[in-house]
Amino acid sequence: MGVFCVKNTCYFERSLEIVANFATMKEVDYIVVGCGLASIAFCEQLRAHNKLFVVFDDGSQQSSIVAAGLYNPVILKRFSEVWKAKEQLRLALPLYQKIEKELDIKIDYKLRILRRFTSIQEQNKWFSAIDKPSLETFLSTQLVKNSNSEIEAPFGFGEVLHAGRIDTEKLITSYKAFLKQKDCLIEDTFHYNKIQFENGIVQYKNLKASQIIFAEGFGVKQNLYFNHIPLTGSKGEILTIKAPNLKIDFAIKSSVFVIPIGDDLYNVGATYDNEDKSNTPTEKAKEELLLKVKNFIKGEFKVVNHVAGVRPTVKDRRPLVGRHSEQKNLYVLNGLGTRGVMIAPYVANQLFQYIENDKTLDAEININRFDLMIMS
Ligand SMILES: Cc1cc2nc3c(=O)[nH]c(=O)nc-3n(C[C@H](O)[C@H](O)[C@H](O)COP(=O)(O)OP(=O)(O)OC[C@H]3O[C@@H](n4cnc5c(N)ncnc54)[C@H](O)[C@@H]3O)c2cc1C
């Protein structure tokens, strides 16, 4: 399984010791709190650089596991490029491929995304957007006509190129199993008030670490050190429907997404709710999704699953990454918002380079941008 040797000591053996001898003090380079998309991308940095680490996860947040998992370089409401889309894809796709190979799983599904047009004006906007240099590689110049009687799309579709879907549920469950097998996953709640600081290192119960990375998604609201970061949180719900006659192998983006996941199953979503911060699926969201999807999917289907999670969203739509202003061993990796699949590898790389190699964090993602705003 590759890079698990640290200071001539087998990672597996050392990490096994950590858990087996949890009663005695053990040392690691990093403690990572959370095992969602943000954490996994950071753990991959740690593995690539032979760092010794443990991960805590208590399953209290569901965002990564319920996500539709799309990577899509275009904002389909406004026909504009996603922030740093090319840089993000350049890091994200090889990372997920590496994980596929090492864990022997399939998670990356290339997928055509078709944006359903609702008028001639929208078609025109699409074809004007193609002229923007930032979008020409991502938008097809062909108008796609609808030939499926189960779908209503009289104005046709525009096709997004270089898009796909990561099966995040499989990624998270397989990665947790992988960490567990290496004895470096602790399935427990991390208690912030138990951190002690001494001689430039941190101690948490029986662990000593050089650094702690907090990647708890919306769970950061409980974090004594970082609960001030301006995370708003937006609950999203997704239905899985069985539609035996639909027979499409592309995703449709209209008022909601319809995404094929195999076996005549499709994910339909998602909703956005900025008030409710629970992971509980609601009838209200189900009705909203059904109303929207029936607007363009005309055939019979039945709902077979319904899930919910809270996206870690930020008002300025940029991630929240950085070091605690006083406790220099504590870092946050959060604010992945609605696009964690693409952003996570990019911000994990930024944070690792910042900690280990003193590289400057992108000003747009640094948590200190809010302090600077207050001062100015
Ligand atoms: C319905 C829905 C659809 C989405 N669709 C897409 C999509 O198509 N494409 C896309 O890119 N993004 C999508 N997203 C957004 C994406 O899911 C998020 O950007 C991403 O999951 C955030 O990952 P994270 O690791 O920061 O947080 P999380 O996934 O919330 O992970 C945090 C982890 O930390 C753990 N944790 C928290 N507190 C503690 C603690 N004290 N102790 C131990 N463990 C703790 C939690 O249990 C959790 O496992 C969607 C989100 C939702 C809800």
Side-chain angles (χ1 to χ4, degrees):
M1 279 289 179
V3 284
F4 272 86
C5 287
V6 182
K7 295 167 197 149
N8 299 325
T9 310
C10 174
Y11 183 97
F12 177 69
E13 285 170 10
R14 278 194 67 187
S15 52
L16 193 67
E17 271 175 48
I18 289 164
V19 177
N21 301 321
F22 204 51
T24 57
M25 197 61 71
K26 288 291 156 191
E27 285 179 29
V28 289
D29 298 312
Y30 283 80
I31 293 172
V32 183
V33 182
C35 193
L37 290 170
S39 162
I40 289 174
F42 195 80
C43 290
E44 284 300 294
Q45 289 285 338
L46 296 177
R47 289 193 342 106
H49 294 89
N50 294 341
K51 299 290 179 189
L52 190 56
F53 64 95
V54 288
V55 177
F56 281 79
D57 196 279
D58 64 0
S60 55
Q61 292 298 322
Q62 297 290 303
S63 184
S64 296
I65 212 148
V66 305
L70 290 179
Y71 53 90
N72 162 25
V74 184
I75 299 172
L76 289 170
K77 219 181 205 173
R78 300 195 292 272
F79 302 152
S80 56
E81 191 191 10
V82 164
W83 176 72
K84 292 190 186 291
K86 293 188 188 82
E87 288 99 314
Q88 288 180 21
L89 284 175
R90 234 188 332 264
L91 289 178
L93 299 184
L95 181 78
Y96 295 121
Q97 277 158 19
K98 180 170 167 265
I99 294 175
E100 280 190 323
K101 213 166 157 194
E102 293 201 12
L103 273 61
D104 196 20
I105 53 171
K106 171 86 183 141
I107 51 170
D108 183 4
Y109 296 88
K110 302 298 167 204
L111 191 65
R112 295 169 69 209
I113 297 181
L114 300 189
R115 167 63 156 83
R116 176 178 174 266
F117 296 131
T118 52
S119 63
I120 297 284
Q121 286 86 336
E122 265 199 349
Q123 284 181 357
N124 291 339
K125 266 195 188 162
W126 176 275
F127 288 102
S128 320
I130 291 171
D131 292 335
K132 294 184 198 162
S134 60
L135 286 178
E136 62 186 359
T137 43
F138 297 133
L139 301 183
S140 163
T141 51
Q142 303 295 314
L143 176 72
V144 180
K145 289 202 173 133
N146 179 40
S147 56
N148 186 326
S149 60
E150 300 274 304
I151 302 168
E152 192 162 287
F155 298 98
F157 307 92
E159 181 177 348
V160 180
L161 307 171
H162 308 295
R165 175 177 74 89
I166 297 297
D167 182 340
T168 56
E169 186 179 1
K170 183 175 268 178
L171 169 64
I172 307 293
T173 50
S174 306
Y175 206 86
K176 278 189 175 173
F178 171 72
L179 293 177
K180 204 168 173 178
Q181 190 203 349
K182 302 290 173 198
D183 283 321
C184 50
L185 176 67
I186 299 172
E187 291 177 284
D188 198 3
T189 301
F190 186 91
H191 297 284
Y192 306 97
N193 58 359
K194 297 270 190 296
I195 304 176
Q196 291 175 310
F197 301 89
E198 57 176 59
N199 303 328
I201 60 162
V202 278
Q203 190 176 323
Y204 179 78
K205 298 184 178 174
N206 307 95
L207 287 168
K208 281 187 176 176
S210 305
Q211 327 285 2
I212 305 183
I213 306 297
F214 292 109
E216 319 101 312
F218 194 68
V220 77
K221 290 285 174 196
Q222 313 302 320
N223 185 328
L224 303 177
Y225 297 94
F226 287 107
N227 57 9
H228 63 282
I229 62 169
L231 201 74
T232 45
S234 173
K235 180 176 178 178
E237 301 193 33
I238 291 186
L239 301 177
T240 304
I241 61 167
K242 179 118 186 154
N245 301 323
L246 186 54
K247 303 287 177 217
I248 56 170
D249 59 4
F250 51 84
I252 301 177
K253 167 69 176 120
S254 188
S255 46
V256 283
F257 267 108
V258 173
I259 304 159
I261 56 169
D263 293 332
D264 296 323
L265 296 171
Y266 300 85
N267 279 337
V268 175
T271 54
Y272 292 83
D273 180 342
N274 295 333
E275 303 303 319
D276 180 2
K277 310 292 185 192
S278 75
N279 292 322
T280 316
T282 62
E283 273 310 304
K284 185 170 160 253
K286 183 176 174 180
E287 278 169 26
E288 178 189 328
L289 291 170
L290 288 176
L291 194 71
K292 287 180 172 169
V293 74
K294 283 179 180 167
N295 201 26
F296 60 99
I297 300 293
K298 294 298 170 192
E300 293 288 308
F301 63 79
K302 67 173 184 200
V303 176
V304 296
N305 199 17
H306 182 185
V307 289
V310 182
R311 305 171 186 90
T313 48
V314 187
K315 222 175 179 175
D316 69 2
R317 294 164 196 244
R318 294 291 175 266
L320 294 166
V321 184
R323 179 185 274 150
H324 191 267
S325 55
E326 284 159 23
Q327 303 297 353
K328 302 299 180 193
N329 318 67
L330 306 186
Y331 297 85
V332 68
L333 184 63
N334 211 313
L336 271 49
T338 59
R339 294 178 185 270
V341 168
M342 274 174 69
I343 298 182
Y346 177 81
V347 290
N349 178 55
Q350 284 259 331
L351 181 59
F352 186 83
Q353 292 301 331
Y354 174 63
I355 300 171
E356 294 286 336
N357 298 325
D358 246 352
K359 294 265 168 70
T360 312
L361 277 178
D362 212 327
E364 281 181 282
I365 69 171
N366 195 328
I367 48 168
N368 74 7
R369 67 190 184 272
F370 296 100
D371 306 337
L372 296 174
M373 265 165 60
I374 292 166
M375 281 158 61
S376 62

